[in-house]
Amino acid sequence: VSADSLTRLVGRAGEALVETRQLRPFVDGLLQLRGDEVELCDRLTALEERLRAADVELPAPLAALLAGIRERAAACLARLSGHLDDFESFARRNEDLSNRLHHEVIVSRMRPLADGIRGFPRLVRDVSRSLGTQVRFEVRGDQTGVDRDILDKLAAPLSHLVRNALDPGLETPAAREAAGSPATG
């Protein structure tokens, strides 16, 4: 897969993640709407209770209208609650999926550090021979994941560091032994 294709894929996965996170305000708005609907139902119930407590006899058409409004509000609340639960579940699953997709795409861009330093043992051997030094080349963390673009850009600076570590950084075996160090650096 080309680096450009992976870069575009990372961008799209990032966009999907951002868009998915935009669902949260909608969920919050629906929660507020449900709270308002609960309050409306509670106020209707309170109105009916006050009318009963005051022993107010409503005309039949008005009592039927009030009962119909209460039933309609309760039905709306039930539907809203169901839709909200479904939407909240969808938003959670979608965010989880977007997070996993974004992570996988990021991981797909990674290469082990070992891929970028394959030529270093030969470089160390050749420079060591030309300088008459003895060197043991050891890498720790060579399986550490590095973004492929960054790994490509690290090759020249790392090579320069290795060369500088050998020349002038490493003495000849005789000079090392005279200083009390092992002959191999």
Side-chain angles (χ1 to χ4, degrees):
V1 179
S2 74
D4 288 341
S5 178
L6 283 175
T7 299
R8 285 190 305 274
L9 193 56
V10 166
R12 297 300 176 268
E15 288 174 26
L17 185 58
V18 168
E19 288 298 318
T20 296
R21 289 183 177 159
Q22 295 298 321
L23 293 175
R24 188 73 238 170
F26 290 111
V27 170
D28 293 342
L30 288 173
L31 284 168
Q32 180 63 43
L33 185 60
R34 180 171 63 185
D36 294 346
E37 188 71 20
V38 166
E39 184 181 346
L40 177 64
C41 289
D42 290 347
R43 286 183 179 198
L44 285 170
T45 301
L47 174 63
E48 288 178 323
E49 288 173 1
R50 282 186 181 170
L51 290 172
R52 271 193 297 274
D55 207 22
V56 173
E57 188 69 32
L58 291 177
L62 195 54
L65 178 62
L66 185 57
I69 291 171
R70 184 178 27 81
E71 288 174 15
R72 178 85 169 135
C76 285
L77 177 59
R79 278 199 328 271
L80 178 61
S81 292
H83 289 311
L84 177 59
D85 292 344
D86 292 345
F87 187 69
E88 200 169 17
S89 175
F90 168 77
R92 250 191 330 273
R93 287 190 321 269
N94 202 343
E95 186 167 357
D96 180 56
L97 176 62
S98 293
N99 279 325
R100 288 183 292 135
L101 171 65
H102 188 256
H103 175 75
E104 288 300 321
V105 170
I106 293 295
V107 168
S108 73
R109 286 189 51 87
M110 303 299 244
R111 290 179 25 208
L113 177 63
D115 288 358
I117 60 171
R118 279 196 180 125
F120 282 26
R122 181 177 179 189
L123 170 70
V124 168
R125 184 191 69 227
D126 292 348
V127 171
S128 173
R129 278 188 188 154
S130 71
L131 297 172
T133 57
Q134 295 177 2
V135 179
R136 180 176 50 88
F137 182 66
E138 180 181 321
V139 176
R140 293 184 186 155
D142 62 341
Q143 292 306 306
T144 301
V146 180
D147 182 272
R148 63 177 36 211
D149 292 342
I150 292 172
L151 188 59
D152 291 341
K153 291 175 183 170
L154 281 176
L158 287 177
S159 177
H160 184 73
L161 286 172
V162 169
R163 285 180 188 276
N164 283 351
L166 299 172
D167 183 24
L170 188 63
E171 306 88 1
T172 62
R176 289 181 59 79
E177 287 176 337
S181 297
T184 300

